[in-house]
Amino acid sequence: MREYLVIIPAVLICLMFHEVAHGLVANWMGDDTAKRQGRLTLNPLDHLDPLGTLCMVFFGFGWAKPVPVNPSRFKRPKLGMTLTALAGPVANFLLSFVLIFVAVLLQVALPGQRVALAVAEFFLQTGILSVGLGVFNLIPIPPLDGSRVLQALLPGRLYYKFFNYQVYFQIALLVLLFLGALNGLVATLQIDMLNLIIRGVSGLLGLFGVV
């Protein structure tokens, strides 16, 4: 039970940052659909996809309710779609970097303090989940962000074929998750990204003379 008291709020934070990043970049690129529909809110409940959230809680990776995007409103539709799709995973990686950085600072500055250690533990758990969400969403299978990047890069004819078969891809994704077929790939990518983030955090802390 205690584990879920940490995981659930961590999941909500990761999903909220992920989707707000999509909406902010879309708005910056010329599409204010997400803004008009209230999807730039920091209320995590507005970004939840029930199935994707459950996957995050039980598997450590999943997806949120996609923000509405209208590529025709972008001045450069393919570039706008690509940057909007990548914004979520990138936001998750940046969030993880900041949380791990602060967690280490708390452990160094307040050693032995129970509250500080509890906050640091929560930040570390959230950072790990955030990386898992980011790398998982880069897989090019709908409804994940990687599929939007792939769609944006495909020629028009292939793009529409890919779009028409999205439902089947989503079913295939659920089957793969149920069978655990993606666990090894996601875990490997998650560890690689976490190692990269930890090296970055160590380098930054070293600049400040903390470690």
Side-chain angles (χ1 to χ4, degrees):
M1 183 64 181
R2 180 178 178 273
E3 180 183 1
Y4 290 110
L5 291 176
V6 174
I7 290 177
I8 290 175
V11 166
L12 295 179
I13 291 170
C14 295
L15 293 175
M16 181 270 292
F17 266 85
H18 185 97
E19 291 305 318
V20 169
H22 284 313
L24 287 173
V25 171
N27 188 61
W28 174 56
M29 295 296 291
D31 176 26
D32 65 347
T33 305
K35 181 179 180 180
R36 287 187 287 104
Q37 295 190 14
R39 290 299 304 279
L40 299 186
T41 176
L42 297 181
N43 180 0
L45 299 180
D46 289 337
H47 302 292
L48 297 185
D49 175 278
L51 185 57
T53 303
L54 287 174
C55 287
M56 278 287 293
V57 172
F58 292 107
F59 299 118
F61 44 85
W63 58 91
K65 181 171 68 175
V67 297
V69 177
N70 183 356
S72 65
R73 297 180 65 89
F74 295 138
K75 294 179 181 178
R76 300 175 62 185
K78 286 196 173 185
L79 177 62
M81 196 66 230
T82 300
L83 294 180
T84 298
L86 290 174
V90 170
N92 284 130
F93 300 147
L94 291 176
L95 174 63
S96 178
F97 183 94
V98 172
L99 291 176
I100 292 174
F101 179 81
V102 174
V104 175
L105 283 182
L106 286 172
Q107 292 174 330
V108 171
L110 301 170
Q113 296 291 325
R114 288 186 178 181
V115 174
L117 290 177
V119 172
E121 179 185 353
F122 175 73
F123 281 2
L124 287 172
Q125 181 67 57
T126 306
I128 292 170
L129 282 172
S130 191
V131 171
L133 178 63
V135 298
F136 179 67
N137 271 272
L138 288 175
I139 297 174
I141 302 176
L144 306 180
D145 299 323
S147 67
R148 293 187 177 188
V149 176
L150 180 60
Q151 286 179 351
L153 297 177
L154 288 173
R157 182 171 57 85
L158 291 177
Y159 170 89
Y160 288 111
K161 281 189 175 182
F162 187 82
F163 182 82
N164 289 334
Y165 287 99
Q166 281 195 92
V167 174
Y168 301 103
F169 284 119
Q170 291 177 19
I171 294 172
L173 176 63
L174 292 176
V175 172
L176 290 173
L177 285 173
F178 179 77
L179 296 176
L182 296 176
N183 291 0
L185 172 64
V186 174
T188 299
L189 294 174
Q190 186 178 20
I191 291 171
D192 289 344
M193 181 55 69
L194 274 172
N195 287 336
L196 182 62
I197 289 172
I198 290 170
R199 286 200 295 270
V201 168
S202 297
L204 185 59
L205 290 171
L207 288 176
F208 290 105
V210 177
V211 295

